[in-house]
Amino acid sequence: MGWTVSDAGFDKNQMITNGNKYMTGNGYMGFRGTLEEFGKDQLAAVTLAGLYDQVQDQWREPVNAPNGLFTLLSCNGQRLSVLDTVPLDHKQELDIRSAVHRRVTVYSIPEGGELAYTAERFASMDQLHLLASRQSVRATADCRIMIETGIDSEVWDINGPHLHNRQELFKAGVLLSSAITGELKLPVVAGELSVFGFGRQQQNTAGALRRITFDAKAGETYEWFKYVSVYSGLDTADDPEALAIRAVLEAAEQGYAGLLQAHRRVWEERWSRSDCIIAGDEAAQFALRYSMYQLMIIAPTVSERVSIPARGLSGQVYKGAVFWDTEMFMLPFFLHSDPGVARNLMMYRIHTLDGARRKAAEYGYLGAFYAWESQDSGDDACTLFNVNDVFTGRPMRTYFRDKQVHISADVVHGIWQYLLFTGDDSLILDGGAEVIWECARFFYSYAYYNPLKERYEILDVTGPDEYHERVNNNAFTNALVKETLEIALRCAELLQSRYPDACRKLCAQFAGGPFLNEFQAMLERLYIPQPDPDTLIIEQFDRYFKLEEVGLPELKSRVINLNEYWGGGNGLATTTRILKQADVVLMLNLFKSAFTKEVKQANWEFYEPRTEHGSSLSPCIYALAAADIGSPDWGYPYFMRTATVDLTGKSKQYVGDLYIGGTHPAANGGAWMAAVLGFAGVQFDGETVRLNPSLPEHWRSIELPAALRGGHYRLRISRNEVTVTAAEGNCEALAFAGFGGAAELCGPGDQLHLQAAGTAAVPE
């Protein structure tokens, strides 16, 4: 399989799945994996990162730009499109090594013969505002061909329209489609330049299209190039039309080959910092690389004011909102491979702190209550009625917005992980400390002090298991609140010891200081659910064990409508022990050093058969936990399920009657976590890298790069041996430990071997 995903033949039933599967992007925009002749009805979309719009009282969502790669062919007066004509042959493929999409479609020609149409495209990783395409036709018989190409301004919107006052212009040989968003009145401009060496060009005055008509000779190849640029008012205070024109003219001057070469160089560098090489499992190798590819095409490499939405840049699904997925499931990949992107992700949370403050104040609390569904301002896009009852059609009240308070703790966890992995204190000085303290203040004001039990409790919350809303003392939430308080105190110590002036300035911003004494008092008496001394099981929340004990097959047999929601006030799972996704098991994975192997195994075995995996976030956690307890082959199927979710399209597409399709970047990140943090056993606490491999039976080894504390290392991990090599840029010693041994690495080229006693490395 190598580096290419491909499909032969065209199936209309797979159009939406393939739109996700064949995604390209560069962090500024995502281009769905649709074909050149597709339009809004086939969900063609150029989704822009960080640009949102709202129409009246509908859900606010990201803006799709006009599609400048639109192309439609006709031959001898007959339209050639997979939507209208059954092709003789069709192949769609994506090279994930260089993020290049390609299709080859062969049609029969009216009056005899065949015509092959080839189109290749990429979203430039070198010039983020640019799309480029190389297209060609070749016929086996003389024929007359018409090419309609240009900009399709009829964009796909779920809750639109978002683009108004559309103008289609022709300037300096460049087609332009410009419009203004409705809410913020920001311009959105697409520019297109096609370069032909044949035919007669005619501009279509009815829109932003060109028509080329020519007589094709049998056996000759006719090739042309398209250069497309996209700009919005978020990018510049200057004239975006002028920028779009200049960008495509300069692209044409550089030429397709030069643009592609520069694009590939950036991708080579990205892969050099991230590629994981698995020996012994080609299917897992490709699935893992594909997962990393999906993360890299949506990573904000330049802007610190955008993050990664729950469905990436695959369209407007999930409102283009940023969830807890980013910190818990995607951040680890970037911490190990691209700390610059990791910093941008955390700076996004700092920039949206005021939105979190507004939400806390709205509910009557102190500090910062982060949005469950965050967009550009940090205000919560999550509504009170997220799901419709499939039986009545009525909106169902849900408590995602109100009660998933762990989101603020997830943000703090992410910020502190960044500090531990990079040693970069600047994030704390640039607003990270303020976020940490404001989140801790929120939990201090949210907590309930139980005078009878003399302890603080976290009541009326929803944990990761969303099928059970408004529960008390959710184990995951309480553990994350505890960590938030600890980090708040450690942050104060760090500032006081290293940056006393900054510490005094920051403390002065809070009435009475950052509540450090209150944090300490709450921390000392915060209730954290503990393992039962007999069973070792941690109760997911108060009275969870009182719920109905029913097997998952039995509960599924009660389903009346395949799309009915299992949670909420009267969902199938609400009164049972069946949970949506990993909850306690996720907590055990985050704080694995605090629990014995016996506790982790007992909880894995208890909760696994009760987990429906109704979220794509769930399987990877069971893979991680299985590796941690020394049973990687238990976890391997969960890893593969996670890593292939966008390749197979086998995921939940509806909640109630709400479409929730699109790509799954959290699952992509989870696949990487399962492979590297789980099976390879790589763990870093800011001081020591601990390596505890737990490889699946057929994996001989895994090799990967890692960026830690400003240094770059290459790890080769087999069942019985670890080799670590220090690369360029290493300036301080870093400790590595595994198989009972430990050593430090510092200078470039330094190497160490850690080997299990009494064993030899497995030969390749």
Side-chain angles (χ1 to χ4, degrees):
M1 186 174 287
W3 293 84
T4 303
V5 56
S6 64
D7 283 291
F10 176 72
D11 182 353
K12 288 186 178 181
N13 296 320
Q14 293 298 310
M15 285 193 299
I16 294 177
T17 295
N18 286 347
N20 301 320
K21 182 177 178 178
Y22 290 97
M23 277 281 302
T24 52
N26 56 20
Y28 172 77
M29 57 183 160
F31 196 101
R32 284 181 60 79
T34 50
L35 301 180
E36 280 66 22
E37 62 266 39
F38 285 6
K40 66 179 183 180
D41 292 339
Q42 293 76 42
L43 310 192
V46 183
T47 304
L48 303 182
L51 181 61
Y52 297 90
D53 186 67
Q54 184 173 22
V55 176
Q56 298 176 356
D57 59 351
Q58 298 185 82
W59 284 353
R60 199 166 185 262
E61 62 191 8
V63 172
N64 287 330
N67 174 18
L69 292 182
F70 175 80
T71 302
L72 182 61
L73 300 180
S74 297
C75 182
N76 291 343
Q78 179 178 308
R79 177 180 292 184
L80 299 183
S81 165
V82 294
L83 299 173
D84 304 309
T85 304
V86 177
L88 298 175
D89 190 28
H90 176 75
K91 184 176 183 180
Q92 185 174 6
E93 64 183 24
L94 175 66
D95 173 11
I96 62 172
R97 186 166 195 164
S98 55
V100 176
H101 176 276
R102 193 169 189 265
R103 62 86 67 89
V104 180
T105 309
V106 180
Y107 300 98
S108 61
I109 299 175
E111 304 171 13
E114 298 178 1
L115 181 145
Y117 170 47
T118 301
E120 177 184 276
R121 68 172 184 253
F122 61 92
S124 176
M125 196 64 87
D126 180 61
Q127 300 181 43
L128 301 185
H129 294 272
L130 192 66
L131 298 161
S133 175
R134 174 171 57 194
Q135 304 185 31
S136 68
V137 292
R138 181 185 178 92
T140 62
D142 292 353
C143 58
R144 188 162 182 79
I145 295 176
M146 183 177 74
I147 303 169
E148 268 189 299
T149 190
I151 304 174
D152 181 6
S153 301
E154 297 292 332
V155 302
W156 166 45
D157 285 323
I158 295 177
N159 292 297
H162 300 297
L163 298 181
H164 306 274
N165 302 329
R166 189 175 77 204
Q167 293 186 345
E168 293 172 325
L169 310 170
F170 187 70
K171 291 184 178 181
V174 176
L175 291 174
L176 292 171
S177 178
S178 64
I180 303 294
T181 61
E183 180 187 7
L184 301 178
K185 309 302 180 187
L186 293 171
V188 176
V189 177
E192 185 266 6
L193 176 62
S194 291
V195 178
F196 295 87
F198 57 89
R200 185 180 64 188
Q201 179 175 326
Q202 175 188 356
Q203 182 190 355
N204 181 3
T205 56
L209 292 176
R210 308 168 189 269
R211 284 180 179 163
I212 303 294
T213 304
F214 65 100
D215 292 317
K217 298 297 183 182
E220 291 193 17
T221 299
Y222 298 87
E223 185 176 66
W224 68 98
F225 305 94
K226 286 173 65 68
Y227 306 103
V228 177
S229 60
V230 181
Y231 282 87
S232 81
L234 288 183
D235 307 319
T236 176
D238 297 327
D239 181 2
E241 286 188 4
L243 291 175
I245 291 171
R246 185 172 68 187
V248 294
L249 290 175
E250 290 178 352
E253 185 176 344
Q254 185 174 351
Y256 183 86
L259 294 170
L260 180 59
Q261 184 180 34
H263 167 76
R264 282 180 166 155
R265 278 198 299 266
V266 178
W267 271 101
E268 286 174 8
E269 193 269 336
R270 295 277 167 83
W271 282 114
S272 73
R273 290 190 273 114
S274 61
D275 188 25
C276 300
I277 302 172
I278 299 171
D281 191 341
E282 290 185 7
Q285 172 73 87
F286 181 78
L288 179 57
R289 280 177 172 157
Y290 181 82
S291 294
M292 291 188 286
Y293 164 83
Q294 285 284 359
L295 288 170
M296 287 189 281
I297 64 173
I298 55 178
T301 56
V302 175
S303 176
E304 61 181 34
R305 292 187 176 273
V306 298
S307 185
I308 302 178
R311 289 293 183 261
L313 298 176
S314 63
Q316 297 165 329
V317 183
Y318 266 108
K319 309 168 194 171
V322 178
F323 288 69
W324 70 307
D325 308 27
T326 306
E327 283 76 20
M328 289 298 174
F329 295 88
M330 301 179 228
L331 180 65
F333 168 75
F334 294 108
L335 286 173
H336 285 78
S337 65
D338 197 334
V341 169
R343 192 180 198 281
N344 286 344
L345 295 175
M346 293 299 94
M347 283 301 299
Y348 165 80
R349 293 299 192 180
I350 292 171
H351 287 305
T352 53
L353 174 59
D354 284 344
R357 284 174 169 144
R358 287 189 290 269
K359 182 179 175 182
E362 174 190 345
Y363 284 98
Y365 299 111
L366 301 175
F369 182 7
Y370 271 86
W372 184 242
E373 299 178 4
S374 182
Q375 296 178 338
D376 48 353
S377 68
D379 292 286
D380 208 328
C382 187
T383 65
L384 302 181
F385 298 87
N386 275 280
V387 180
N388 286 341
D389 187 311
V390 295
F391 302 109
T392 66
R394 294 174 178 171
M396 295 170 56
R397 178 68 161 98
T398 55
Y399 291 89
F400 308 142
R401 184 188 202 275
D402 319 64
K403 301 302 178 182
Q404 292 200 273
V405 300
H406 66 81
I407 178 62
S408 287
D410 304 330
V411 170
V412 171
H413 176 84
I415 289 174
W416 204 250
Q417 285 291 296
Y418 174 83
L419 182 66
L420 292 178
F421 270 76
T422 66
D424 176 16
D425 295 346
S426 70
L427 186 74
I428 299 298
L429 299 174
D430 289 344
E434 198 169 348
V435 170
I436 290 169
W437 288 342
E438 287 287 67
C439 289
R441 286 214 304 165
F442 165 69
F443 287 121
Y444 177 74
S445 66
Y446 191 92
Y448 166 72
Y449 183 74
N450 187 326
L452 295 178
K453 297 182 178 180
E454 298 183 333
R455 69 188 189 189
Y456 285 93
E457 299 180 332
I458 310 298
L459 308 181
D460 196 13
V461 302
T462 300
D465 168 24
E466 294 172 330
Y467 287 164
H468 299 94
E469 301 180 342
R470 308 197 70 171
V471 302
N472 296 332
N473 293 313
N474 170 257
F476 173 90
T477 302
N478 286 31
L480 266 292
V481 171
K482 176 177 181 286
E483 184 191 45
T484 297
L485 297 172
E486 292 171 340
I487 289 173
L489 295 170
R490 291 170 65 186
C491 180
E493 292 174 358
L494 183 152
L495 288 172
Q496 288 166 356
S497 62
R498 299 185 190 176
Y499 311 101
D501 292 340
C503 185
R504 283 191 293 271
K505 182 179 178 181
L506 284 168
C507 288
Q509 296 177 13
F510 295 85
F515 281 55
L516 297 179
N517 292 333
E518 288 83 351
F519 297 164
Q520 182 65 50
M522 180 177 167
L523 180 61
E524 292 172 357
R525 296 197 174 189
L526 178 62
Y527 169 58
I528 305 295
Q530 296 297 314
D532 179 271
D534 297 322
T535 66
L536 303 182
I537 306 301
I538 299 172
E539 191 171 24
Q540 183 173 293
F541 52 81
D542 290 354
R543 299 184 62 79
Y544 169 80
F545 292 149
K546 300 296 184 182
L547 298 176
E548 179 188 4
E549 179 66 282
V550 59
L552 189 54
E554 163 63 21
L555 192 63
K556 287 182 177 179
S557 74
R558 301 176 187 177
V559 170
I560 299 173
N561 185 305
L562 289 177
N563 292 328
E564 64 183 274
Y565 182 51
W566 285 24
N570 59 352
L572 282 174
T574 299
T575 58
T576 77
R577 295 187 189 180
I578 298 298
L579 51 148
K580 178 180 178 181
Q581 65 195 68
D583 196 312
V584 169
V585 176
L586 173 57
M587 182 267 292
L588 293 173
N589 179 70
L590 286 174
F591 305 107
K592 58 182 61 181
S593 63
F595 300 95
T596 65
K597 176 182 176 181
E598 291 73 21
V599 167
K600 288 181 278 192
Q601 180 161 338
N603 282 273
W604 197 101
E605 293 178 351
F606 178 83
Y607 283 108
E608 188 275 336
R610 294 168 175 82
T611 304
E612 188 244 346
H613 299 296
S615 167
S616 61
L617 310 182
S618 187
C620 66
I621 301 304
Y622 280 92
L624 277 160
D628 187 39
I629 61 179
S631 301
D633 293 316
W634 288 5
Y636 181 78
Y638 288 113
F639 159 74
M640 288 300 292
R641 177 175 171 179
T642 302
T644 60
V645 64
D646 290 325
L647 288 167
T648 64
K650 294 179 180 178
S651 63
K652 186 172 288 188
Q653 298 295 305
Y654 286 88
V655 171
D657 62 358
L658 174 66
Y659 175 66
I660 59 169
T663 57
H664 299 78
N668 302 141
W672 180 91
M673 292 195 322
V676 174
L677 309 185
F679 299 146
V682 179
Q683 299 294 322
F684 183 51
D685 61 7
E687 296 180 356
T688 302
V689 183
R690 291 180 171 80
L691 303 162
N692 182 31
S694 184
L695 300 181
E697 183 178 9
H698 50 299
W699 287 22
R700 296 195 302 273
S701 65
I702 181 170
E703 186 174 347
L704 63 135
L708 303 168
R709 304 291 288 193
H712 296 269
Y713 304 87
R714 188 150 196 90
L715 315 177
R716 188 184 184 282
I717 300 165
S718 66
R719 221 171 295 279
N720 303 310
E721 183 181 46
V722 172
T723 301
V724 185
T725 305
E728 78 287 346
N730 295 2
C731 56
E732 61 179 80
L734 193 63
F736 291 81
F739 300 116
E744 288 188 344
L745 281 181
C746 183
D750 284 1
Q751 191 173 82
L752 68 85
H753 298 274
L754 300 170
Q755 189 168 312
T759 64
V762 178
E764 291 295 326

